[in-house]
Amino acid sequence: MKVGIVGLGLIGGSMAKAYKEAGHTVLGFDRNPVPQGYAEMNRIVDGKLTVENAGECELILVALYPQAAVEYMKEISPHLGRNTVLMDLCGIKKEVCDAGFALAAQYGFVYAGGHPMAGNRFSGIKYASADLFEGSPMVLVPGKTDDIALLTKLKELLAPAKFSHLSVTTAEDHDARIAYTSQLAHVVSNAYIKSPTAEKHHGFSAGSYMDMTRVAPLNEIMWADLFLCNKEPLLSEIDCLIANLQAYRDMIAADDQTGLTELLKAGRERWEEIDGPGANQK
């Protein structure tokens, strides 16, 4: 199989390594000549993906920021044939998928949105790894969520990445969920570390502190783009968190031990219901 990878950073570079390791031909493209040259010199890719050879690829994965992904898809779409599957790997889906589905309908190729639920705190192709996605879930946003033939094909095309399982949903549902499970967590972690007390944490912190600050050193350019592209769902989650925090603050300020205990109990029981040992996790 010939695969095209657009955007040779951590995600794109790791995809390139995974497909190369599986024995496939990988063509890569990055507007920045540094990662492009690095990928070619280290044989992470077999050559450069161009408008001339893009139509030869069975699969093209676009690992760019949302707005850049849309612009690239507009550029490459006229050069794709019916045998090519184009998939973006962006962290938000509605804005990108709307463009992708429209382009696929106009030019006759197959498009599906994708979001690999994997990564690490570092960015750049030098941190790319062929096993980055192994054992992690992959979210798919096809044009029709009940298109079994397409989903089977996507599963086969993505096999070299070794995802643990594929989840299928709509762009709207994806963005609503990801606002809570990922984006809010990054906002909270990045805000939490700004306390003046953080400067004095050494010797007084353990697992709780590390859990809260793990994603604080984020890529600010990428995450600002993702936050703004998913503005309304993220604002809703931030407002919900603020309201919950205010309730705790009010109980503490009022020395209301009974009320505070009930809040803490409700939080514990909510966790047990959702993620506890006996929870019915979906």
Side-chain angles (χ1 to χ4, degrees), residues 189-213:
S189 184
N190 195 260
Y192 176 79
I193 196 66
K194 292 177 180 176
S195 167
T197 313
E199 300 173 6
K200 306 173 185 177
H201 85 85
H202 297 287
F204 292 83
S205 59
S208 297
Y209 174 83
M210 297 301 294
D211 288 344
M212 283 291 293
T213 59

Side-chain angles (χ1 to χ4, degrees), residues 11-247:
I11 299 299
S14 295
M15 280 294 188
K17 285 189 172 184
Y19 279 86
K20 276 280 288 183
E21 189 173 275
H24 300 290
T25 299
V26 179
L27 302 177
F29 173 73
D30 198 294
R31 295 190 190 279
N32 186 333
V34 176
Q36 181 74 44
Y38 182 93
E40 293 178 4
M41 182 176 62
N42 291 278
R43 298 183 180 180
I44 297 173
V45 299
D46 297 294
K48 188 173 184 178
L49 178 69
T50 66
V51 293
E52 288 77 21
N53 60 28
E56 302 171 9
C57 294
E58 190 171 346
L59 173 67
I60 295 180
L61 299 172
V62 182
L64 300 172
Y65 297 171
Q67 295 175 12
V70 171
E71 289 306 311
Y72 177 82
M73 291 195 301
K74 289 178 180 178
E75 293 175 14
I76 202 68
S77 289
H79 307 282
L80 303 182
R82 293 186 177 275
N83 294 325
T84 300
V85 173
L86 179 67
M87 177 182 292
D88 79 276
L89 302 178
C90 296
I92 57 101
K93 298 268 66 84
K94 183 67 169 67
E95 179 178 321
V96 182
C97 287
D98 282 351
F101 291 136
L103 290 166
Q106 180 179 356
Y107 293 104
F109 59 88
V110 177
Y111 166 79
H115 185 185
M117 304 305 296
N120 59 47
R121 58 179 290 188
F122 302 106
S123 61
I125 193 169
K126 68 178 181 177
Y127 297 107
S129 170
D131 62 359
L132 180 67
F133 310 105
E134 187 171 349
S136 298
M138 172 68 159
V139 180
L140 296 178
V141 181
K144 296 180 179 179
T145 57
D146 59 351
D147 188 338
I148 303 303
L150 173 59
L151 295 176
T152 299
K153 182 177 180 64
L154 294 178
K155 182 178 181 179
E156 294 172 352
L157 291 174
L158 293 169
K162 299 180 180 179
F163 291 107
S164 61
H165 64 280
L166 307 179
S167 299
V168 181
T169 188
T170 64
E172 293 84 357
D173 181 64
H174 168 277
D175 289 356
R177 295 195 198 196
I178 217 69
Y180 173 73
T181 61
S182 178
Q183 294 182 345
L184 181 64
H186 282 77
V187 169
V188 171
S189 184
N190 195 260
Y192 176 79
I193 196 66
K194 292 177 180 176
S195 167
T197 313
E199 300 173 6
K200 306 173 185 177
H201 85 85
H202 297 287
F204 292 83
S205 59
S208 297
Y209 174 83
M210 297 301 294
D211 288 344
M212 283 291 293
T213 59
R214 184 179 66 82
V215 294
L218 44 68
N219 178 334
E220 61 271 13
I221 297 175
M222 179 185 76
W223 283 100
D225 195 14
L226 292 171
F227 292 163
L228 293 177
C229 286
N230 202 30
K231 179 179 178 180
E232 295 307 322
L234 181 55
L235 285 177
S236 178
E237 293 297 342
I238 292 174
D239 289 342
C240 180
L241 178 64
I242 290 173
N244 284 324
L245 288 174
Q246 186 64 51

